[in-house]
Amino acid sequence: MITIDDIFETNQMITENKLDVRTITMGISLRDCANPNIDKFCQNIYDKITKSAEDLVKTGEAIEAEYGIPIIHKRISVTPIAIAADACKTDSYVPIAETLDKAGKEVGVNFIGGFSALVEKGMTHGDETLIRSIPQAMAATDIVCSSVNVGSTKAGINMDCVRQMGEVVKRTAELTRDQEAIGCAKIVTFCNAPGDNPFMAGAFHGVAEGDRVINVGVSGPGVVKHALEGLKGADFTEVAETIKRTAFKITRVGQLVAREASKRLGVPFGIIDLSLAPTPAVGDSVARILEEMGLEACGVPGTTAALAMLNDAVKKGGLMASSHVGGLSGAFIPVSEDEGMINAVNQGSLCIEKLEAMTCVCSVGLDMIAIDGDTTAATIAGIMADEAAIGMINNKTTAVRVIPVPGKHVGDSVQFGGLLGYCPIVPVHNQYSSEAFIARGGRIPAPVRSLTN
């Protein structure tokens, strides 16, 4: 039963601690849109998206107004285009990306994800065509996001595709250099990608999903930090319990929004992604939560342990609030989107190597990190391989979204705007090459733990 105290507490979380629902994401299957003729295929997907999601934005706005809960983004995810478009007789999927962009703008969403391929074990013609098309597609569109799953615990790591993705990121940076390489902010390279993730840039509508589904991503780092402010000197058991109780309350708000959106749109409810998703705004930072636990600065020894506890407690609390939790769920550590992370990089307490260590215990991976524009494709591919290995061995989702900004070097910073924020150029400390390693190609075999059949 909801009491008046619950209502007052939720209102405080929203008005003072920046609680929000980060996104309502409608997943839409495009499998029934397949056609060998790319023009017909594009028409089919435009018609299906605009019909399926015609009421998504206004429904989100109505729920926001009625309940007073900020809903920051309304988004769409679609079947990985490499699968949906595999029958098309074409050597470029850029027109498909442009159609997705047009359809997303027509219904008024902030982003549309699913210009994607799942290639952890091998590539079809559609996969190869999509990957070749990514740089031009990201340059030619505004709200389309791309992801490629290069590895999994079951299949190992497709190193041929890892090499290609390093080259894709570099090419995309060049094509969008006049916009601070913004195209790279719309590309994620995954290991163990989930098919029900509502967050961009990695969202796609998994092949095991139904025709349409509503997935909701909640946020609330500021709420967690506020809850910990009264626990100076408390032991970690009390800290963990407080985070669990807070995550329960945050997830309950997301559950309410998800159920309402599902009912009003007549679309099945999928999952709540209970991730702590930060923003560049002061008071909405995962790094500041870690510092509230007693770290002088994010990145110092103890940071990985603090993040591990935070991630685990968030999941435990959220699981009690919803029977359908999925997506990525945990704590995000995107550099450009987190005021505390930005500050930690600027003051020298946080480096890319420490960020990699932190990805072993948090949601996703190396996210929204601006690096020197002269960083080679092989080095970027090496970063991707390392992160995929962490995901493969630990049976968790990991990802890389790095942005080599042409003309920018350590000491410079870049402005992306909005939720994407801003970022100092993060040093990649190594003068030696990964070229020969990446050039080997082939597939890194799956680990022993993959044999769970």
Side-chain angles (χ1 to χ4, degrees):
M1 178 178 177
I2 297 177
T3 67
I4 190 67
D5 288 339
D6 292 328
I7 295 171
F8 283 144
E9 184 179 36
T10 301
N11 184 62
Q12 181 187 39
M13 289 192 295
I14 292 168
T15 58
E16 298 180 20
N17 307 132
K18 302 187 187 304
L19 172 64
D20 62 59
V21 169
R22 186 55 47 87
T23 177
I24 296 176
T25 300
M26 178 182 285
I28 303 173
S29 174
L30 301 183
R31 287 189 288 174
D32 58 351
C33 297
N35 195 290
N37 183 291
I38 189 170
D39 293 332
K40 180 60 176 173
F41 175 71
C42 287
Q43 187 61 53
N44 289 346
I45 64 175
Y46 180 84
D47 291 344
K48 183 160 190 183
I49 290 170
T50 53
K51 181 179 180 181
S52 297
E54 61 181 340
D55 295 326
L56 176 62
V57 171
K58 70 178 182 182
T59 298
E61 290 172 345
I63 294 170
E64 185 176 13
E66 185 172 334
Y67 289 94
I69 300 169
I71 301 172
I72 307 303
H73 273 186
K74 294 82 179 174
R75 302 168 177 172
I76 293 170
S77 63
V78 299
T79 305
I81 291 299
I83 296 173
D86 209 4
C88 290
K89 309 301 183 184
T90 180
D91 60 359
S92 172
Y93 288 165
V94 173
I96 300 172
E98 293 172 330
T99 300
L100 293 174
D101 201 57
K102 181 181 177 183
K105 290 174 178 176
E106 174 63 25
V107 298
V109 294
N110 301 95
F111 287 109
I112 181 164
F115 197 76
S116 306
L118 312 178
V119 296
E120 55 266 33
K121 205 168 185 179
M123 290 187 277
T124 67
H125 171 72
D127 296 321
E128 293 172 349
T129 302
L130 183 128
I131 291 168
R132 284 197 307 269
S133 302
I134 290 173
Q136 186 60 47
M138 295 302 98
T141 61
D142 298 313
I143 63 173
V144 175
C145 294
S146 179
S147 59
V148 177
N149 193 67
V150 300
S152 71
T153 299
K154 282 288 188 182
I157 304 172
N158 183 342
M159 291 299 291
D160 291 320
C161 190
V162 169
R163 183 188 67 247
Q164 286 180 268
M165 288 308 296
E167 295 165 354
V168 161
V169 168
K170 283 290 286 184
R171 177 61 178 154
T172 305
E174 284 298 327
L175 290 179
T176 57
R177 65 182 300 144
D178 60 335
Q179 298 174 280
E180 306 273 42
I182 192 68
C184 299
K186 301 187 293 173
I187 303 172
V188 179
T189 303
F190 271 121
C191 178
N192 289 321
D196 56 4
N197 160 34
F199 286 101
M200 300 295 170
F204 61 86
H205 188 66
V207 294
E209 302 288 326
D211 190 61
R212 294 188 300 163
V213 69
I214 290 292
N215 297 322
V216 167
V218 297
S219 185
V223 180
V224 175
K225 181 182 182 298
H226 176 76
L228 296 183
E229 287 173 357
L231 296 180
K232 306 294 185 186
D235 68 21
F236 283 114
T237 300
E238 188 173 353
V239 170
E241 287 299 315
T242 299
I243 295 170
K244 283 165 56 179
R245 290 193 297 270
T246 306
F248 176 87
K249 295 169 186 175
I250 292 170
T251 307
R252 189 169 57 180
V253 172
Q255 178 85 354
L256 169 65
V257 171
R259 292 292 185 189
E260 279 298 309
S262 173
K263 181 174 68 176
R264 297 183 188 195
L265 290 166
V267 175
F269 162 53
I271 57 93
I272 297 290
D273 187 319
L274 46 93
S275 296
L276 295 181
T279 72
V282 174
D284 203 20
S285 163
V286 169
R288 298 305 187 191
I289 298 174
L290 305 180
E291 292 170 357
E292 191 62 42
M293 293 183 195
L295 302 172
E296 186 175 2
C298 181
V300 303
T303 297
T304 304
L307 183 59
M309 187 188 67
L310 173 63
N311 208 59
D312 180 66
V314 165
K315 290 183 178 182
K316 286 173 178 173
L319 283 169
M320 294 299 293
S322 176
S323 297
H324 298 290
V325 171
L328 300 169
S329 288
F332 289 177
I333 54 170
V335 174
S336 78
E337 299 174 8
D338 186 308
E339 171 270 329
M341 296 286 177
I342 295 166
N343 183 69
V345 171
N346 277 328
Q347 68 185 13
S349 64
L350 186 62
C351 63
I352 196 167
E353 291 82 6
K354 185 60 176 179
L355 282 162
E356 182 180 295
M358 293 164 68
T359 66
C360 296
V361 299
C362 77
S363 294
V364 202
L366 296 170
D367 195 19
M368 285 304 292
I369 300 173
I371 59 176
D372 192 305
D374 293 336
T375 306
T376 66
T379 296
I380 294 170
I383 293 170
M384 292 172 177
D386 286 345
E387 198 60 31
I390 290 171
M392 176 184 71
I393 295 296
N394 292 293
N395 196 27
K396 71 183 292 291
T397 302
T398 52
V400 172
R401 186 162 49 149
V402 296
I403 306 164
V405 186
K408 297 285 187 175
H409 309 287
V410 174
D412 296 328
S413 63
V414 291
Q415 293 279 347
F416 300 118
L419 287 179
L420 297 178
Y422 63 98
C423 190
I425 298 296
V426 178
V428 178
H429 291 296
N430 214 305
Q431 59 184 321
Y432 301 104
S433 174
S434 309
E435 193 85 41
F437 174 77
I438 296 301
R440 286 182 180 273
R443 182 155 54 98
I444 292 178
V448 169
R449 70 182 303 166
S450 69
L451 299 177
T452 55
N453 296 346

